[in-house]
Amino acid sequence: MEVSPFPYQGPLEPHQVQGRDELIADLTERISARRVTALLGPRRYGKTSVLRRVAAELTEVTTVWVDLYEVSSVADVAVRFDDALAVTTGRFAAAARALAASVSLNLGVIKVELTGPARNRPEPELAFRTLLDVLVGVAAEEPTLLVIDEFSSIGRVAAAAGALRTALQHHYSELGIVFAGSHPSMMRTLFSARAEPFYGQADLVEIAALPAVAIEEIVRAGFASTGRKAGHVAGLIGAFTAGHPQRTMQLADACWRHTPPGATADASTWSQALDEVRGATAEGIERLYSGFERGERGVLRAVARSGSIYGAEANLLDLATGTATHARRTLLDSGDLAEGDSGLVVVDPLFADWLRQRFPI
């Protein structure tokens, strides 16, 4: 069976990342210059994939990759850092194990210790600070890149954010640091609000939608590599997705599968592919929609239709101004809405399409 040239499920392997050369070069330069960086972008925009590519290109550097997805306590954060340090390799790993052992810490077992008998459990805050001491201690001797993914989740754990800043702030020149987060509004707050521990501590870099020229090249090359011709479907895909990376690849994959080897994709190919993807995603999108509050559902419907949550659209949906304003802020914080050039947009183009199809008025 042929393997699709358009992978879209989960983070990509470094060699699969396309259309991001400028961003990869920019991040690589920032890391090499020890400029602390925060990479912002909605879910499924390829932040993790891009950072994997950057890490792969920094061949002389050990990457410590910490995923803070849905952490809710200092214990959670300590376990994630412990897991990250435990899976490193090479000289960094040997140095980390030795330094940890010197302070009676065994890497890779914090989770077990924190769930053991209460009388034997370590203090989560102390364990976290010790892990950070190990990290910065080894980074002072070994070239290191620290990637903290889904950093926006740390906003729920104020003590962890403060401890992390305290541990890192005097070592910015010794290791590369990239924070990444899928809630752009929350990420901006974490680095721009005076009350936050990381206020003014990082350059903010946004991962943009794929430009039309990149979509054209990705689709054309993918079809050509498997003996097919893309015809004009790249333009149709780009117009529908507005450059949303994951949805672009998903629709390109569907178009590719509906184009036999030696054939050229056309309008019929696009129609079949779009119908297939709509059908495959409808149930999940409906569950997603049902999980929003009433006011948020109204705002999503209004934005999908007009980009506005006030005026005639709000009146049609009986959406009070106060409710709309609160829901707008919540949806921006969660990354479900974004500020576009001409107003608000629903970030996921298939979600926006589903809303228009499901609720024609």
Side-chain angles (χ1 to χ4, degrees), residues 44-93:
R44 303 177 184 175
Y45 253 56
K47 298 180 297 299
T48 299
S49 297
V50 164
L51 290 174
R52 282 185 175 184
R53 170 73 175 274
V54 170
E57 296 197 355
L58 294 169
T59 56
E60 302 300 317
V61 174
T62 295
T63 299
V64 178
W65 195 293
V66 184
D67 185 350
L68 296 183
Y69 178 72
E70 291 298 310
V71 294
S72 60
S73 67
V74 175
D76 283 345
V77 177
V79 167
R80 304 296 176 84
F81 270 82
D82 182 47
D83 288 345
L85 287 169
V87 299
T88 57
T89 58
R91 293 186 307 179
F92 185 100

Side-chain angles (χ1 to χ4, degrees), residues 36 43 68 91 103 122-123 139 173 201 209 230 240 244 265 276 290 296 299 310 335 344:
V36 181
R43 288 184 294 272
L68 296 183
R91 293 186 307 179
V103 292
E123 179 65 30
S173 63
Q201 297 286 303
F240 182 89
H244 186 290
E276 178 186 287
S290 298
E296 294 165 2
V299 164
Y310 305 115
L344 292 170

Side-chain angles (χ1 to χ4, degrees), residues 129-341:
R129 289 196 295 271
T130 305
L131 288 164
L132 292 174
D133 288 343
V134 170
L135 171 62
V136 298
V138 177
E141 305 296 331
E142 299 290 340
T144 304
L145 167 61
L146 172 63
V147 176
I148 305 182
D149 207 355
E150 296 300 342
F151 182 70
S152 47
S153 294
I154 209 170
R156 308 185 186 113
V157 193
L164 184 61
R165 177 186 179 275
T166 299
L168 295 180
Q169 64 179 337
H170 298 300
H171 302 277
Y172 288 159
S173 63
E174 297 168 2
L175 74 165
I177 302 175
V178 179
F179 303 95
S182 297
H183 298 82
S185 180
M186 175 61 74
M187 287 288 285
R188 291 189 191 92
T189 298
L190 288 170
F191 293 99
S192 303
R194 288 183 179 273
E196 296 294 335
F198 279 93
Y199 167 70
Q201 297 286 303
D203 296 340
L204 304 186
V205 176
E206 296 201 37
I207 185 169
L210 288 171
V213 65
I215 295 174
E216 182 69 35
E217 173 59 23
I218 290 168
V219 173
R220 183 198 62 76
F223 271 68
S225 70
T226 56
R228 296 163 171 81
K229 294 182 179 179
H232 299 294
V233 296
L236 296 171
I237 292 169
F240 182 89
T241 66
H244 186 290
Q246 190 261 350
R247 295 308 194 188
T248 294
M249 297 294 278
Q250 185 176 12
L251 283 160
D253 169 73
C255 288
W256 176 84
R257 286 186 290 100
H258 282 279
T259 306
T264 300
D266 56 21
S268 175
T269 308
W270 164 248
S271 180
Q272 293 176 61
L274 180 57
D275 285 347
E276 178 186 287
V277 173
R278 279 171 169 165
T281 57
E283 183 177 347
I285 288 175
E286 183 151 11
R287 286 199 302 270
L288 173 66
Y289 177 74
S290 298
F292 290 105
E293 299 292 335
R294 180 180 179 277
E296 294 165 2
R297 293 197 296 268
V299 164
L300 287 164
R301 288 176 58 181
V303 171
R305 289 192 56 80
S306 70
S308 174
I309 60 173
Y310 305 115
E313 200 73 47
N315 292 335
L316 186 64
L317 295 171
D318 194 23
L319 191 59
T321 300
T323 299
T325 300
H326 176 75
R328 171 187 178 276
R329 182 166 55 250
T330 300
L331 292 166
L332 284 170
D333 286 345
S334 67
D336 293 289
L337 291 184
E339 298 275 8
D341 293 337

